[in-house]
Amino acid sequence: MSSIGSPTGAAPTDTGRAAATARGHLFNAGTLARYRDVLARGVDRVARRVGEADRPFTGVTPDELAPLIGAIDLDRPLGDTDAALDELHDVWLRDAVYFHHPRYLAHLNCPVVIPALLGEAVLSAVNSSLDTWDQSAGATLMERRLIEWTAGRIGFGAGADGVFTSGGTQSNLQAMLLAREEAYRTVVGGSTGRPDRPQVLSRLRILTSAAGHFSVQKAAKLLGLAADAVLTVPTDATRRMRTDELARTIDRCHRDGQVVMAVVATAGTTDFGTVDPLPEIADICAAAGVWLHVDAAYGCGLLVSPTRRHLLDGIERAASVTVDYHKSFFQPVSSSALLVRDGRTLRHATWHADYLNPARAVEQGIPNQVDKSIQTTRRFDACKLWLTLRIMGPDAIGTLFDQVVDLAAQAWRRLDADPRFEVAAPSQLSTVVFRYRPPGLAPDLVDEANLHARDALAASGAALVAGTKVDGAHHLKLTLLNPETTVDDVAHVLDLIADHAAWYARTATTAELSCPV
């Protein structure tokens, strides 16, 4: 009998032994026992760390971690699963930010549901790529079914379509790409000559609210639009887009010979959780013949809310909609999608390659998702949402989202009644913007005290809150996405913030008084 790796029957060489060892790490029918064992060890480590975490963060600094990670020789493997997991604990797991903790109140990162974690494990092992049918088969149809389901929740008709993306920034970018091409087609179609493309692009404008997401400006830059292509529309006292200002801005653009290629409304602003007046904005866009995009990356949880779906009334009139399931459907990153009311507009992202998706594939009716996406290789992230819906159901997701919105309303009322704090406009979703500003605090200390309080809280690791600016002044922000967070958790964090800020104010005042003139 020949030895493995030695076709002539000679003793295996060092190279042969190395190759056999390397092949032992591949996931296939011959390594199933190792697969089960290794993944179980990893799951056990994560479970233990989550169980041990008594705070969302350790407070570790970049200066503390960088030398440890920098000293690791990636050319010299440890050769042992437990040793590698021990090292992973030291460089990441121990100091990771744990969004599942009830006192993580910072960014739009949600705790995740177990069915989605199951989906993550399954999709990673099978490793389907969602670009072409011959790489994904049923996964292609499952993603399409989820797009159809989401489009139905939005209120789009049978002609709608969409595609999963990496996140809201990519979804917004692709939406602006489609809007740009549709606007260009309109300008060219209505022209007596053949306008120069750069000249047309220089005239295009995007209108978005002053509280909208920065990715709109980023998209304009990536799409080669003019430096002043994005015009911000003022918001009212509730931080919602002012429709009177929107109408005036559209009129001004037309008078100046500019082409409004898109209006971007927001359903859930990052800071204030507000939903722009979608029906009125849709009326204005329809009258002006303008593409309406609704960035519902945050507010898409309202699509399954048992009590608040009405807040999205009017979204069905949009030309395109961004949804981030990894914000308010409790999915792991990444899980997002772009939906369009007219699926034909997705052709602007299509490019045929003979080796991948030749034009004849369309003639043969082969469903290829790469025809709709600006990505090629793409994970089957839809699997996570699929299993979540099949195990939990949409009503359960909506109930969880309603709980955090209810909590935000309670937190806002508590802050509004607390003389230590000044609170901004109430949120329609689950954020609360506020700052420490008790009576008697010197105005020049307000910003510094709030900045110090946030930094000191993060350094302690006891809780994490976000920061932002409102009308040029530094504020703090609670982003509540964990249904396990309680009013008592919020109250405890507010006390910690007040203590840190008060300490800073006292120290700064004492230092100023003791400073010789």
Side-chain angles (χ1 to χ4, degrees):
M1 179 181 291
S2 298
S3 301
I4 295 175
S6 179
T8 63
T13 63
D14 288 344
T15 301
R17 283 192 292 269
T21 300
R23 287 197 300 273
H25 291 291
L26 291 172
F27 172 54
N28 53 45
T31 57
L32 297 182
R34 175 174 172 78
Y35 164 70
R36 290 189 178 100
D37 176 63
V38 169
L39 263 66
R41 290 169 188 255
V43 168
D44 182 64
R45 291 296 184 108
V46 172
R48 272 193 280 161
R49 183 66 191 99
V50 169
E52 294 167 352
D54 61 351
R55 54 189 58 205
F57 186 45
T58 63
V60 70
T61 67
D63 288 343
E64 291 171 316
L65 270 185
L68 181 62
I69 295 174
I72 293 173
D73 185 352
L74 295 176
D75 290 316
R76 300 185 64 180
L78 296 169
D80 178 77
T81 297
D82 286 334
L85 288 171
D86 287 341
E87 181 182 83
L88 188 68
H89 174 271
D90 293 341
V91 298
W92 178 47
L93 286 175
R94 178 186 61 204
D95 299 303
V97 178
Y98 285 99
F99 306 139
H100 75 279
H101 196 281
R103 290 179 184 169
Y104 178 85
L105 311 174
H107 300 286
L108 280 167
N109 305 109
C110 59
V112 295
V113 292
I114 293 173
L117 293 179
L118 172 62
E120 187 75 60
V122 174
L123 74 91
S124 296
V126 180
N127 202 32
S128 295
S129 181
L130 262 289
D131 38 347
T132 59
W133 168 263
D134 63 359
Q135 298 177 76
S136 60
T140 289
L141 300 181
M142 291 166 68
E143 178 176 295
R144 289 190 167 200
R145 181 69 186 91
L146 284 170
I147 289 293
E148 180 185 22
W149 175 82
T150 306
R153 287 275 174 166
I154 289 171
F156 285 164
D161 204 347
V163 69
F164 270 61
T165 69
S166 64
T169 295
Q170 183 185 327
S171 294
N172 288 344
L173 170 63
Q174 185 165 348
M176 292 303 97
L177 167 68
L178 305 183
R180 184 193 70 180
E181 293 306 297
E182 287 293 297
Y184 177 75
R185 188 170 68 96
T186 299
V187 171
V188 171
S191 174
T192 54
R194 182 75 178 178
D196 178 66
R197 184 174 175 87
Q199 190 274 333
V200 173
L201 295 187
S202 71
R203 295 169 54 202
L204 299 184
R205 295 294 180 269
I206 302 171
L207 277 52
T208 189
S209 127
H213 197 260
F214 75 89
S215 60
V216 176
Q217 282 83 355
K218 189 173 185 178
K221 180 178 181 180
L222 293 173
L223 292 172
L225 303 184
D228 59 349
V230 180
L231 305 178
T232 55
V233 179
T235 59
D236 60 21
T238 64
R239 307 291 169 173
R240 303 168 78 212
M241 183 189 290
R242 285 182 53 182
T243 53
D244 58 337
E245 290 288 351
L246 173 63
R248 275 194 285 270
T249 304
I250 291 176
D251 287 343
R252 186 170 67 250
C253 287
H254 289 168
R255 288 197 307 271
D256 293 343
Q258 297 165 344
V259 177
V260 179
M261 73 175 227
V263 169
V264 180
T266 309
T269 56
T270 302
D271 277 345
F272 301 102
T274 47
V275 179
D276 286 332
L278 301 181
E280 293 87 347
I281 293 173
D283 286 342
I284 293 170
C285 289
V290 172
W291 181 289
L292 170 59
H293 174 65
V294 176
D295 179 359
Y298 177 16
C300 65
L302 296 171
L303 293 173
V304 290
S305 167
T307 63
R308 294 178 171 88
R309 173 59 181 82
H310 63 279
L311 293 176
L312 291 181
D313 285 352
I315 195 172
E316 71 282 354
R317 298 174 62 190
S320 55
V321 174
T322 286
V323 297
D324 269 9
Y325 308 109
H326 60 228
K327 284 188 172 68
S328 47
F329 275 64
F330 306 96
Q331 299 293 291
V333 174
S334 60
S335 184
S336 181
L338 171 68
L339 289 301
V340 292
R341 180 155 44 90
D342 182 354
R344 293 172 297 180
T345 60
L346 289 172
R347 71 187 183 280
H348 297 306
T350 303
W351 192 273
H352 292 290
D354 288 337
Y355 78 94
L356 187 69
N357 61 329
R360 64 182 175 83
V362 178
E363 300 168 5
Q364 295 170 338
I366 298 174
N368 290 327
Q369 292 298 83
V370 73
D371 297 340
K372 307 173 184 181
S373 177
I374 60 177
Q375 295 174 268
T376 303
T377 302
R378 190 163 52 82
R379 302 174 82 240
F380 182 28
D381 285 315
C383 180
K384 296 176 286 193
L385 181 59
W386 182 277
L387 282 178
T388 300
L389 291 177
R390 300 311 297 143
I391 294 172
M392 290 176 58
D395 290 347
I397 300 169
T399 297
L400 292 177
F401 191 64
D402 268 359
Q403 287 177 17
V404 295
V405 177
D406 288 339
L407 176 64
Q410 292 176 282
W412 190 92
R413 289 193 294 270
R414 179 178 286 266
L415 276 160
D416 191 44
D418 192 327
R420 299 174 298 177
F421 297 102
E422 177 182 80
V423 65
S427 170
Q428 291 171 282
L429 297 182
S430 63
T431 58
V432 185
V433 178
F434 66 101
R435 61 177 173 165
Y436 176 78
R437 193 175 186 180
L441 180 62
D444 60 333
L445 288 180
V446 175
D447 274 6
E448 290 83 354
N450 282 279
L451 288 170
H452 170 80
R454 185 190 176 203
D455 290 344
L457 188 65
S460 74
L464 289 172
V465 299
T468 190
K469 278 190 174 182
V470 180
D471 301 328
H474 287 286
H475 281 64
L476 304 175
K477 181 176 68 171
L478 305 179
T479 306
L480 304 166
L481 282 177
N482 191 341
E484 292 295 313
T485 301
T486 66
V487 174
D488 288 341
D489 287 315
V490 173
H492 179 71
V493 173
L494 294 179
D495 286 341
L496 292 176
I497 290 170
D499 289 345
H500 288 305
W503 177 89
Y504 179 88
R506 286 194 306 270
T507 303
T509 302
T510 301
E512 183 177 335
L513 291 173
S514 63
C515 182
V517 178

